[in-house]
Amino acid sequence: MKRLCILILAVLIAALALPAFAQAPKAAGSNLTIGLVMVGPYNDRGWSQANYDGMLYVLDKVPGTKLVYIDKANSADRPGTTVSQLGESLVAQGAKLICFSSDDMMDEAVKFAAAHPDIFVIMTTGDQQWKEGKAYKPMANMINIMGKMEYMKMVAGVAAAMTTKTGQIGFLGPLINDETRRLAASAYLGARYAWVNYLKKDPAQLKFRVTWIGFWFNIPGVTADPTQVADEFFNSGCDVVISGIDTTEAVAEAAKFTAQGKKVWAIPYDYSKAMDEGKGVSLGVPYFNWGPAYAKTVKEAMNGTWKAHFEWNDPDWKNINNPDTSAVGFIKGNLSKEASEGVDKFIGELAKGLNLWAGPMNLQDGTVYLKSGQKATDQQIWYLPQLLQGMTGQSVSK
Amino acid sequence: MPFRETAMRDDKKTRIIFGLGSVLAALALTTAIVAATGNNPLQAYGNIIQGAIGSPNVAANVLVSWVPLALATAGLLFTFTGGLWNIGIEGQITLGAIFCTWAMRSLQDTALSPGIIIAFAIAAGMLGGIFWALLAGALKTFGGVNEIFGGLGLNFVATALNLWLIFGPWKRPGVASMSGTLPFEPELWMPTVSAQSRLALIPLALAVLALVIAFILLRGSHFGLRLKAVGKNPKAAYLLGIPTWQHMLLSFALCGAFAGLAGAVQVSAVYHRLIPSISSGYGYTGLMVAMLVNFSPVFAGPVALFFAALSVGSIQLPIVLKLDSSLAGVIQGFLVLFVLIGNGLRLKLLGRKRGSI
């Protein structure tokens, strides 16, 4: 009998304790200090600045919010520190919500969220809270946010294909993972679509080459130098380089080659003003607009409606550059009339439901990825295992 | 008392005056630099202090940072005593981390208990450090390669090897990333004082032990005495019958063991995986600490703690003042520089007094 009592008591305690662990942190109320952890410098004119600007948007739109941040949160720039430790320094400054804004911080963000169940955590680009995802790890205090950049990379591919005279496009890739594979593949799908459907050319004539540098930005002595990789592209016949890295080396190099009399272009990435360094040589920029999603999530933390989830946000097809509604956008740069019309036409078709992630489609090694008529699921796109057939470059790290 | 020594004596008082002067000069220059950037130096120092001892949590982080620094410094005391500039310590830390990772990867799927796996991994890390240090030592003793150049070269090789492993054989499935290898399962993390804390007691105890060993061996053993003789004058030591190169190699091995242990601690207790910059510059900072304390095992621990506090505390600077956290490095560098200048000046002044009479 005594044993039974103890057992019942234990079950009761467990039943009471479980939901307590699985509960989101208490609503922050009318004031909230946000802590933003960025992988690169906050003014990198790329990924980190796009995130920083997203938080400035939150400060502007959500009353009662304050921002503390730390940038260059990577072990090369801040040796000896861990990202969760940096998150804690922001908590020490009063932050109740920490946004880890880089894929590089995944492991540490999970460590941090587990150790601090009372702090809200945004893990940007992550898939830990995606029930259908491969990395699902339920944590009541974590939300994953990502924008559907795939669309805008396709647009970039269209701009590149409509512009190239040599038929050779280079993709300056960061490191190899699911995200970078699917974004490079999206750029290729857009380029091939324009090449075949708008320019009526033979797809075999389109060369699309990917070179990875090894990280999101240049770390001297550790990564390949993106400046040299861009130069190599331009010297070996590519006249358009699509950048997939956080910083703007591709644009700078295109400007340098143009000054030397070569006709080349680049497409920067991540940040809406990334073209400023080379307006004449930039065909446009696919960029993230983190503000709206961050603002919504911050409000949820404040008013108590926070619920752990994963979101992969669409552009606003009515106006992909609407700062209040569109998660991703594309700003046109120095495009020819024909290329500009091609880009507009393509965006119109996407808005009407054009899906380039449809079969028949093979992976780089020839295995079938999508059968004829088959449409890729979100999971198939997110976890694209290789580059696609027709693309040159490393698919998987060897 | 001879007349010539009354003008300026090389006693405790003189040393303290010169030491304090050096520290003040370093502080003054740093202050001037901060002020020149338009920031309030007092506020900057206040933030560093707050960031280092403002809460139990940050104080624990200082200790986490102190462990590898103290280990590296303890190791360097041996090589410095032997008259050797073991610049290769960074590579020795890296190799320790690599060997530790290798052991954990090999054993993580076996039936061995986590405690035993960690113990093996720590031992493997120490072996890795010894191996890399002996390479530098062998190059010096048998190849005639100055240990500074040999060490530098071996540092580059260690970094390249580390990157190759992370981007190649030990990469995450399908992913090549600077983020490092896949983290080990939490059972294989060195236990910390609490779930919230980053501080593990075993590495802390090992670092204290390393300093004690350094103290006993260098201050109270025949080995320490002979090593000192080798360091001061290898030829004379050799003529006195001390096996010179053996002592040099042994000091390399001891330094490598401690450095390798530091690398193993970084893997098993801090990052829980192998990352590209796993040595985190602790070797170079350890060189500074060892020089600053004039190779004294007594002061190595406290000064390493001060340096760790500076590094951890300075994380506040970019957050609160938008000031670069490399200010801590500037202070550390100036301190070493001015103390060395102060020492040189003191000896020169003493020498001149003696020479002039």
Side-chain angles (χ1 to χ4, degrees), chain A residues 78 81 93 104 107 115 397, chain B residues 171-172 179 196 271 316 325:
Chain A
R78 302 199 183 280
T81 61
Q93 294 299 324
D104 187 49
D107 308 321
S397 159
Chain B
K171 66 172 196 293
R172 296 167 187 234
S179 315
Q196 305 264 331
Y271 291 103
Q316 292 298 314
S325 60

Side-chain angles (χ1 to χ4, degrees), chain A residues 88-261:
Chain A
E88 279 169 14
S89 341
L90 295 176
V91 171
Q93 294 299 324
K96 287 269 177 301
L97 181 152
I98 301 291
C99 175
F100 295 101
S101 65
S102 170
D103 149 85
D104 187 49
M105 304 171 182
M106 220 160 39
D107 308 321
E108 292 286 327
V110 169
K111 263 193 221 175
F112 178 91
H116 302 276
D118 54 328
I119 303 286
F120 297 99
V121 175
I122 298 176
M123 175 60 219
T124 307
T125 81
D127 56 345
Q128 296 83 13
Q129 301 311 311
W130 196 10
K131 279 201 185 84
E132 296 78 21
K134 283 185 190 170
Y136 184 52
K137 192 174 194 312
M139 298 180 117
N141 56 339
M142 185 186 275
I143 284 178
N144 293 132
I145 297 176
M146 188 57 176
K148 284 199 173 150
M149 178 48 74
E150 289 69 21
Y151 289 119
M152 299 308 140
K153 284 287 187 186
M154 288 177 192
V155 177
V158 170
M162 300 293 291
T163 303
T164 176
K165 303 283 181 284
T166 62
Q168 295 186 45
I169 299 168
F171 189 93
L172 178 59
L175 46 96
I176 308 176
N177 68 14
D178 296 327
E179 176 189 338
T180 61
R181 267 193 294 265
R182 66 178 187 262
L183 290 178
S186 298
Y188 171 68
L189 287 175
R192 196 180 61 180
Y193 183 78
W195 188 260
V196 174
N197 294 283
Y198 299 169
L199 299 171
K200 309 289 179 203
K201 290 186 182 173
D202 175 10
Q205 297 300 314
L206 177 69
K207 300 276 178 277
F208 192 101
R209 191 149 55 90
V210 184
T211 303
W212 310 100
I213 65 162
F215 195 55
W216 299 103
F217 46 81
N218 183 31
I219 300 178
V222 175
T223 63
D225 183 349
T227 300
Q228 281 177 17
V229 174
D231 287 359
E232 193 275 324
F233 275 134
F234 290 136
N235 282 326
S236 61
C238 294
D239 56 352
V240 181
V241 170
I242 302 175
S243 173
I245 64 172
D246 286 3
T247 46
T248 52
E249 283 86 350
V251 174
E253 290 313 290
K256 200 178 87 188
F257 275 75
T258 304
Q260 292 165 2

